[in-house]
Amino acid sequence: MADLGKRYATALFELSAQQGLLARYLEQATMLRDALQADECKSFITHPRISGTDKKAFFDEAFKGKIHDHLMGFLHLTVNKNREDFLLPALNALVKMIRTHHNETTARVVSAVPLSKKQLTEMAALLTRKLHKKVDIHVVVDPAVIGGLSIQVDGFFIDRTLRYQLRSMKEEISK
């Protein structure tokens, strides 16, 4: 059951690839994922006391004409089978599959302060060269890191934050 979201995503990926609609599915699946991640929306779709009819009506009202019929069918299928909890994992997996197919990825960068457009452009270019794929940057501003950056991308994690360095020094001193 744990990989059901991935199975749904794989089916949607194969269907979109066969029809040459990968770019369209990527755009629409990303929009769907972002919309359905909102707390109110997530609570509504996963609430056990809200009828399937109401959930499908919500999907129709919110997304009809904005997403491909196969994606709408997927939304309805998850409701019909009471598998609404698999919607977001499946959409996340679909987005990741399509981006991987297009040789794209996203780096999560944590910084104490907002980064300038020039810094973001240079970082994206450097990571693109190093990883040999297009890298988009998702920045999280967290003043608790004090200074420096941490970068997480494709299973790699680099932590050059001041918070990490201070913690490492503290551990060394206590030895």
Side-chain angles (χ1 to χ4, degrees):
M1 245 352 215
D3 67 342
L4 189 57
K6 189 167 182 168
R7 286 185 14 216
Y8 280 135
T10 300
L12 286 168
F13 175 83
E14 290 172 358
L15 187 61
S16 65
Q18 288 171 357
Q19 296 180 348
L21 298 172
L22 284 171
R24 184 172 171 193
Y25 269 51
L26 175 61
E27 179 184 323
Q28 293 175 4
T30 302
M31 181 268 301
L32 265 176
R33 177 198 63 195
D34 294 347
L36 298 178
Q37 282 184 143
D39 288 336
E40 315 82 41
C41 199
K42 195 183 320 181
S43 296
F44 180 82
I45 12 182
T46 58
H47 198 287
R49 295 219 172 144
I50 296 176
S51 74
T53 304
D54 289 342
K55 291 176 185 179
K56 288 190 279 188
F58 166 75
F59 288 143
D60 289 341
E61 186 177 319
F63 303 115
K64 191 154 192 118
K66 297 177 185 169
I67 61 173
H68 193 277
D69 290 343
H70 293 135
L71 288 171
M72 184 63 78
F74 163 67
L75 296 175
H76 284 240
L77 176 69
T78 58
V79 171
N80 290 340
K81 295 196 174 265
N82 294 317
R83 294 181 174 160
E84 296 92 334
D85 288 337
F86 293 100
L87 269 172
L88 285 173
L91 290 170
N92 281 324
L94 177 61
V95 167
K96 186 174 182 179
M97 284 178 194
I98 296 172
R99 294 202 70 216
T100 299
H101 180 78
H102 288 140
N103 204 29
E104 299 175 0
T105 192
T106 299
R108 182 178 187 269
V109 176
V110 179
S111 171
V113 296
L115 300 175
S116 71
K117 286 190 187 251
K118 181 181 178 195
Q119 289 170 317
L120 293 172
T121 302
E122 289 172 356
M123 187 180 305
L126 174 67
L127 290 170
T128 295
R129 278 194 312 275
K130 294 287 184 188
L131 297 173
H132 305 291
K133 59 175 75 172
K134 183 181 181 294
V135 179
D136 294 323
I137 306 288
H138 172 73
V139 178
V140 176
V141 176
D142 181 2
V145 301
I146 306 169
L149 298 170
S150 71
I151 302 171
Q152 185 175 1
V153 60
D154 287 355
F156 296 103
F157 183 67
I158 302 167
D159 193 341
R160 298 294 182 252
T161 61
L162 192 52
R163 175 176 60 186
Y164 172 77
Q165 292 173 9
L166 290 170
R167 189 179 315 130
S168 296
M169 285 176 24
K170 180 180 175 183
E171 289 172 8
E172 281 296 315
I173 290 171
S174 62
K175 284 183 184 179

